[in-house]
Amino acid sequence: MRSQILVDMDGVLADVYSHFIALEYQETGIKLELQDLNGKLESEAFPSFHKHVNSKGFFRTTPLILDSIEGLKYLNDKYYVLIVSSATEFPSSLNDKRLWLGEHFPFISWKQMIFCGTKENIKGDIMIDDHDKNLSKFDGRKILFTQPHNVFVENTNYQRVANWKEVMSIL
Amino acid sequence: MRSQILVDMDGVLADVYSHFIALEYQETGIKLELQDLNGKLESEAFPSFHKHVNSKGFFRTTPLILDSIEGLKYLNDKYYVLIVSSATEFPSSLNDKRLWLGEHFPFISWKQMIFCGTKENIKGDIMIDDHDKNLSKFDGRKILFTQPHNVFVENTNYQRVANWKEVMSIL
């Protein structure tokens, strides 16, 4: 049986930072710079965080992380991939995320998608995630995908990757 | 730590049979009888199955299974409850199911909800489900909630319950 790999959406496939920055600029004229957001969770970094994540359409129009299509195809050929996304906190995000996955990753079946509140009850062999809170409770191999909020996370149990090229080089 | 119990939605909390029967009657004038549907999956029993499950609103307006509110409250006080629903096959069902749960079971947090394609990667100690395909791949204690489609399922690994009063009497 293939190894099972749990792949996060926001911050791994979906470039929520670019999306928040573009919307903040559009609405306020203020251009936030990625390096100023280091160490802050998205909810702390973006003043309009709650408004956006509760808006229908926000997660339907998020840009892709660089190389995520090529990277996920690579993983999907080699592993049993499950997309696991925290989504139930924001009810309107669910349909949006499902349709977004269908549009950009048509090679991923609906059978390979999980939308949850927390990830503690999801089994797998490998997890790729940008959030310490998800990796820290996972039993298998833990891969931390770099995003501004996690740059100060130091945990020798995690393998850190900066981008999808690095994911493909280690998996 | 409390035991973790995975509770299905359709056929356990949500009375999809009543909903399908009412809609079929409304649209065709034909009144299907539950006893004629024994042994057929919902997709076989209801001619308009695919139309309805792909319609926005269908899962938002499903009636409740008798005593499901009282029963889930009982479980939620005693166990760590996770609602686990197959939903990603029908994109528009996701928001509907999330809002339906929030309306009828406000004591269940968004952290306790999982919407998936298959349930094979969801961990727990006990599963209550009306589908053999979900119980058969589950590691823990398996409780089969009777619905017309499963009346001929005979599996000594399952405990069968006919209603929520029986759930409460055994858990």
Side-chain angles (χ1 to χ4, degrees):
Chain A
M1 207 173 86
R2 289 180 178 201
S3 291
Q4 301 189 319
I5 183 162
L6 313 183
V7 180
D8 182 28
M9 275 182 79
D10 301 331
V12 174
L13 299 174
D15 190 352
V16 284
Y17 274 85
S18 292
H19 204 27
F20 279 124
I21 288 174
L23 290 170
E24 293 279 347
Y25 181 66
Q26 206 174 294
E27 290 167 10
T28 65
I30 297 165
K31 183 95 180 4
L32 297 167
E33 298 293 338
L34 275 184
Q35 65 269 24
D36 298 332
L37 307 177
N38 285 344
K40 295 178 188 173
L41 288 175
E42 295 98 318
S43 55
E44 300 159 348
F46 301 108
S48 310
F49 175 85
H50 285 99
K51 188 185 85 175
H52 291 312
V53 295
N54 283 299
S55 300
K56 197 166 154 33
F58 177 80
F59 290 102
R60 184 69 189 86
T61 53
T62 313
L64 289 159
I65 296 264
L66 185 70
D67 300 324
S68 58
I69 293 177
E70 182 194 350
L72 198 63
K73 259 190 196 143
Y74 170 86
L75 292 184
N76 201 43
D77 288 341
K78 199 166 168 182
Y79 299 90
Y80 177 68
V81 166
L82 275 173
I83 310 298
V84 183
S85 179
S86 301
T88 54
E89 185 176 3
F90 311 118
S92 70
S93 75
L94 288 157
N95 291 7
D96 280 351
K97 287 188 168 197
R98 169 65 183 81
L99 295 170
W100 186 90
L101 282 177
E103 177 190 351
H104 297 293
F105 305 93
F107 51 89
I108 297 292
S109 147
W110 55 266
K111 294 183 181 176
Q112 294 170 268
M113 301 174 187
I114 298 177
F115 299 110
C116 53
T118 77
K119 302 189 180 181
E120 293 165 43
N121 285 68
I122 317 296
K123 284 188 287 196
D125 302 302
I126 308 167
M127 176 184 270
I128 306 179
D129 208 288
D130 65 325
H131 276 284
D132 187 38
K133 67 178 176 194
N134 295 325
L135 294 170
S136 64
K137 290 173 185 159
F138 182 66
D139 283 338
R141 182 175 169 189
K142 305 170 223 300
I143 297 175
L144 179 67
F145 199 100
T146 293
Q147 286 294 347
H149 68 80
N150 70 34
V151 292
F152 303 127
V153 171
E154 286 184 25
N155 187 325
T156 53
N157 293 320
Y158 304 166
Q159 275 182 284
R160 184 183 278 278
V161 291
N163 52 53
W164 272 95
K165 291 265 184 275
E166 284 189 26
V167 172
M168 289 185 270
S169 75
I170 65 165
L171 288 175
Chain B
M1 207 173 87
R2 289 181 179 199
S3 290
Q4 301 188 318
I5 184 161
L6 313 183
V7 180
D8 182 29
M9 273 181 81
D10 301 331
V12 174
L13 299 174
D15 190 352
V16 284
Y17 274 85
S18 292
H19 204 27
F20 279 124
I21 287 174
L23 290 169
E24 292 281 346
Y25 181 64
Q26 204 174 297
E27 290 168 10
T28 65
I30 298 166
K31 182 94 182 355
L32 297 167
E33 298 293 338
L34 275 185
Q35 65 268 27
D36 298 332
L37 307 178
N38 285 345
K40 296 179 187 173
L41 287 175
E42 295 99 317
S43 54
E44 299 159 350
F46 301 106
S48 310
F49 175 85
H50 285 100
K51 188 186 86 175
H52 291 312
V53 295
N54 283 299
S55 300
K56 197 165 154 33
F58 177 80
F59 289 102
R60 184 69 188 85
T61 52
T62 313
L64 289 159
I65 296 263
L66 186 69
D67 299 326
S68 58
I69 293 177
E70 183 194 348
L72 198 62
K73 258 190 199 146
Y74 170 86
L75 293 184
N76 200 44
D77 288 340
K78 198 164 169 184
Y79 300 90
Y80 177 69
V81 166
L82 275 173
I83 310 298
V84 183
S85 179
S86 300
T88 54
E89 185 176 3
F90 311 119
S92 71
S93 74
L94 288 157
N95 291 7
D96 280 350
K97 288 188 169 196
R98 170 66 184 81
L99 293 171
W100 187 90
L101 282 177
E103 178 191 350
H104 297 294
F105 304 92
F107 52 90
I108 297 291
S109 147
W110 56 266
K111 294 184 180 173
Q112 294 170 267
M113 301 175 187
I114 299 177
F115 300 110
C116 54
T118 76
K119 303 189 181 183
E120 293 165 44
N121 284 68
I122 318 296
K123 284 189 285 195
D125 301 303
I126 307 168
M127 177 185 270
I128 306 179
D129 208 289
D130 64 324
H131 277 284
D132 188 37
K133 67 178 177 194
N134 296 326
L135 293 169
S136 64
K137 290 172 185 159
F138 183 66
D139 284 337
R141 181 175 169 190
K142 305 172 223 300
I143 297 174
L144 180 66
F145 199 101
T146 293
Q147 285 295 345
H149 68 80
N150 70 32
V151 292
F152 303 127
V153 171
E154 286 184 26
N155 187 325
T156 52
N157 292 320
Y158 304 166
Q159 275 182 284
R160 185 183 278 279
V161 290
N163 52 52
W164 273 95
K165 290 267 186 273
E166 284 189 27
V167 173
M168 288 184 272
S169 74
I170 64 166
L171 289 175

